[in-house]
Amino acid sequence: MLNKIYIHPLLWVVVAIAVVTAHFIELSLLLLIIFFHEMGHAVAASFFSWRVKRISFLPFGGVAEIDEHGNRPLKEEAIVTLAGPIQHLWLLVVAFLLYQFNLISDFIYTNFVQFNLMILIFNLLPIWPLDGGKFVFLWLSLKESFPKAFRLTLHISIFALTIFVLMILLIEPINLNVWIIVAFIIFTLHYEWKQSRYVFIRFLMERYYGKTSEFRKLKPIVVEEDALVMDVLEQFQRGYKHPIVIEKDGKETGLLDENELLHAYFAEKQLTAKVGELLYPY
């Protein structure tokens, strides 16, 4: 796992500045906390055989980059997401014990606790791509289709970020570190919004080409014969396998497996086809 660690070049600049300004200890504590947080995500992902690309340490935080596209069980993703924030709890306990036995100074203990709580609370904000935003996406995915859940997650994130920015303007308007993080989140949300269609296609591709032994509940999708294939695909939901029930004038005329729609879209390139046109013998 350690061989997947990537350190952004600008982080070395931040380290150099911390040394010059006599803030190296504080930065070291911050990076240590971030390390355990991201390793929590990565180790949990590896436990479920997820594809961990790398663990990146940036000038303003860290991220465990995982190459999955929304087709893992929701329970697994909840555990992987929770595995980051839960690290802060045992870190606080360890710090308290070390302090009680006079193994660390007041300065280190106070800063460590403050940084720990700060990162934990900030990470649980309902803003994508923070862990809180991922939990929002998982919660919405329980009842909504993948693209709708993702769009709603971005809407909620934008609203929550707006509230957060207003609070910062009132409480600490000249904190440069906070504004750098806010700028990064704004950039990420803008990028995710522009790439939302691509994210959805990756979800469908993983569903079509990916191999999974997960048993998924059946959830039929009832559509009219003249419904477009893509419109039906946009109703696909995480955690379910979808038989496609085709009707005409309220009467069932046929049944398709979801893989037949995915095959028509990806393999046969029937981008504008109607589901009724797929009702042919195979």
Side-chain angles (χ1 to χ4, degrees):
M1 190 64 64
L2 294 178
N3 63 337
K4 295 182 181 293
I5 291 177
Y6 165 76
I7 299 177
H8 194 282
L10 285 178
L11 181 56
W12 296 115
V13 177
V14 174
V15 172
I17 294 174
V19 172
V20 172
T21 58
H23 288 92
F24 180 72
I25 293 178
E26 294 96 316
L27 179 63
S28 298
L29 293 174
L30 194 61
L31 292 176
L32 180 65
I33 295 168
I34 293 172
F35 171 79
F36 281 110
H37 180 104
E38 299 305 334
M39 285 298 294
H41 289 309
V43 170
S46 295
F47 177 80
F48 291 117
S49 300
W50 289 24
R51 296 163 295 188
V52 180
K53 294 171 63 178
R54 65 181 182 180
I55 305 165
S56 300
F57 290 90
L58 310 172
F60 41 79
V63 58
E65 300 179 35
I66 300 171
D67 192 19
E68 298 293 340
H69 305 286
N71 283 293
R72 292 289 188 164
L74 293 175
K75 181 186 292 186
E76 283 188 15
E77 188 158 341
I79 292 173
V80 172
T81 303
L82 184 62
I86 205 171
Q87 304 306 312
H88 300 280
L89 302 181
W90 71 263
L91 285 173
L92 287 170
V93 173
V94 170
F96 175 76
L97 293 176
L98 292 175
Y99 181 68
Q100 291 299 309
F101 286 100
N102 297 316
L103 296 176
I104 57 176
S105 66
D106 290 349
F107 175 80
I108 291 179
Y109 177 69
T110 301
N111 279 277
F112 189 82
V113 170
Q114 289 179 349
F115 292 158
N116 223 323
L117 293 175
M118 176 185 69
I119 295 174
L120 174 60
I121 295 171
F122 179 75
N123 237 278
L124 292 178
L125 293 177
I127 302 173
W128 187 271
L130 303 178
D131 294 332
K134 293 177 181 178
F135 280 122
V136 170
F137 182 40
L138 290 174
W139 175 65
L140 291 172
S141 295
L142 293 174
K143 291 190 176 182
E144 303 292 349
S145 66
F146 181 93
K148 185 175 181 180
F150 191 67
R151 287 194 301 268
L152 285 173
T153 298
L154 296 182
H155 284 141
I156 292 172
S157 298
I158 293 171
F159 176 78
L161 181 61
T162 301
I163 299 299
F164 179 74
V165 168
L166 292 175
M167 291 177 61
I168 294 301
L169 287 172
L170 292 173
I171 299 172
E172 203 167 1
I174 58 174
N175 190 318
L176 180 60
N177 292 330
V178 173
W179 289 117
I180 291 175
I181 296 173
V182 168
F184 171 74
I185 293 177
I186 291 174
F187 170 81
T188 301
L189 286 175
H190 176 69
Y191 177 80
E192 294 287 351
W193 185 269
K194 290 180 64 177
Q195 295 291 313
S196 58
R197 195 64 181 178
Y198 171 75
V199 171
F200 174 53
I201 297 302
R202 287 295 298 268
F203 162 74
L204 293 178
M205 288 179 64
E206 185 76 12
R207 198 174 180 114
Y208 179 51
Y209 294 108
K211 296 180 180 179
T212 175
S213 58
E214 174 201 0
F215 176 78
R216 292 178 293 174
K217 295 179 181 179
L218 294 179
K219 186 175 184 179
I221 296 177
V222 181
V223 297
E224 290 293 321
E225 282 189 352
D226 58 353
L228 297 178
V229 169
M230 178 49 71
D231 290 341
V232 180
L233 292 175
E234 288 185 348
Q235 298 182 50
F236 278 25
Q237 187 176 340
R238 300 179 61 179
Y240 292 95
K241 184 175 178 62
H242 299 297
I244 313 302
V245 180
I246 302 174
E247 293 185 346
K248 183 177 182 180
D249 299 328
K251 295 182 179 180
E252 182 178 332
T253 59
L255 182 68
L256 293 173
D257 184 83
E258 67 170 52
N259 284 332
E260 293 178 282
L261 262 72
L262 292 167
H263 179 78
Y265 185 79
F266 287 111
E268 299 179 359
K269 308 299 181 183
Q270 298 188 43
L271 306 183
T272 59
K274 298 177 181 180
V275 290
E277 298 170 4
L278 305 182
L279 289 176
Y280 299 106
Y282 286 86

